[in-house]
Amino acid sequence: MDLVLHVWRQPGPGADGRFVRYEAKSVSPDMSFLELLDVLNEALTARREEPIAFDHDCREGICGSCGVVINGRPHGPQHATTACQLHLRRFRDGEEIWVEPWRARAFPVVKDLVVDRGAFDRIVQAGGFITARTGSAPEANATPVPKRDADRAMDAAACIGCGACVAACPNASAMLFVAAKVSHLAALPQGQPERYDRVARMVDVMDAAGFGACTNHGECMAACPKEISIDVIAQLNRDLLRATLAPPPEGKAWTGAA
Ligand code: SF4
Ligand code: FES
């Protein structure tokens, strides 16, 4: 199939960017979208032109690094599919495709299609952990987890940190991502000791990073390749309210303002 690509080219952070038109001729419909960019980059390199910078790692929908906006939709037109798992057969022969980076103040463009998602790392550093004794592995049955709680935790843990929820949100809110991390640990016994401290700290860092507020558009859930439900945001709001209003346990203070 033949495709025409309009790719956002930006030489560096803060530099002016623009769409550049490229033609891809006789490409296989079985190629992934990232393989199309690979083929395009080989042609650019052969012509001694600067290849297109884009993020990728696993190419299996696991690592969350391959986020790009394709024809106005984070990760492209296929529901619940990362850009690396999107195949060209989803497009029409001769179609024109616009490719651009995530657009959010908290995700500044590094180059071309690559953005700095370090804000997500800082949020996880603030609370995406539990405190546990090191040493030998605990007996597997020592901490029983009801099936319903295990399922809720697993559903939230499916978040790959790609940032599509932020890119899709008109407010560039990171609430779905943060709520997935909060809900994952809040559903498990291991996550209880730091539960309310965690949510206060993660929301503080989220706000400081420049993400917008959640106004319940639901675009995040529609764009999420892992189908994280906005139910997790309700969980975050409940825990944040508790962290704000309820007194902390004796001898302990919630850190971070809510
Ligand atoms: S909630 Fe979904 S869209 Fe947002 S970072 Fe996680 S996997 Fe990506
Ligand atoms: S490259 Fe890892 S999720 Fe796409």
Side-chain angles (χ1 to χ4, degrees):
M1 58 198 296
D2 297 338
L3 295 167
V4 175
L5 272 82
H6 301 269
V7 182
W8 184 259
R9 302 301 312 263
Q10 182 173 329
D16 288 341
R18 66 191 176 97
F19 284 104
V20 178
R21 184 181 187 279
Y22 300 102
E23 290 185 4
K25 299 244 180 239
S26 303
V27 290
S28 165
D30 296 326
M31 272 183 188
S32 73
F33 199 82
L34 298 194
E35 285 169 335
L36 172 67
L37 294 179
D38 289 339
V39 167
L40 190 52
N41 274 348
E42 280 174 20
L44 290 174
T45 307
R47 298 202 302 257
R48 297 185 181 279
E49 291 179 32
E50 182 83 6
I52 299 159
F54 63 98
D55 244 341
H56 59 103
D57 188 1
C58 70
R59 299 198 176 204
E60 292 181 340
I62 297 169
C63 73
S65 63
C66 63
V68 287
V69 174
I70 301 168
N71 285 349
R73 295 178 62 175
H75 289 299
Q78 188 166 334
H79 178 65
T81 304
T82 52
C84 60
Q85 299 221 293
L86 176 67
H87 290 88
L88 300 189
R89 53 181 169 270
R90 295 291 306 186
F91 299 92
R92 294 185 316 277
D93 188 28
E95 188 167 343
E96 302 214 4
I97 304 171
W98 274 260
V99 193
E100 54 190 312
W102 289 167
R103 305 284 188 192
R105 185 155 43 108
F107 288 159
V109 174
V110 176
K111 185 177 181 182
D112 297 338
L113 304 176
V114 177
V115 299
D116 178 357
R117 286 178 297 124
F120 271 12
D121 296 334
R122 294 195 295 279
I123 291 169
V124 170
Q125 282 169 354
F129 53 84
I130 60 160
T131 301
R133 286 180 190 276
T134 55
S136 58
E139 154 61 35
N141 293 321
T143 311
V145 181
K147 173 82 166 65
R148 183 169 160 271
D149 294 346
D151 287 348
R152 279 176 38 227
M154 281 299 289
D155 286 350
C159 167
I160 56 174
C162 65
C165 45
V166 176
C169 176
N171 305 332
S173 168
M175 279 289 269
L176 193 68
F177 165 77
V178 178
K181 302 305 169 200
V182 164
S183 297
H184 166 205
L185 295 176
L188 296 172
Q190 296 90 336
Q192 298 311 309
E194 293 144 318
R195 179 170 174 176
Y196 300 103
D197 202 17
R198 173 184 305 114
V199 67
R201 281 190 273 120
M202 292 180 94
V203 168
D204 261 3
V205 175
M206 174 184 79
D207 289 344
F211 293 106
C214 173
T215 47
N216 296 315
H217 282 258
E219 298 288 342
C220 52
M221 183 167 75
C224 176
K226 299 299 163 185
E227 300 183 286
I228 303 290
S229 165
I230 52 173
D231 290 353
V232 295
I233 296 178
Q235 169 83 62
L236 181 148
N237 285 333
R238 280 195 299 274
D239 282 10
L240 185 60
L241 193 64
R242 165 80 191 273
T244 309
L245 299 178
E250 203 169 311
K252 188 176 188 305
W254 309 139
T255 57

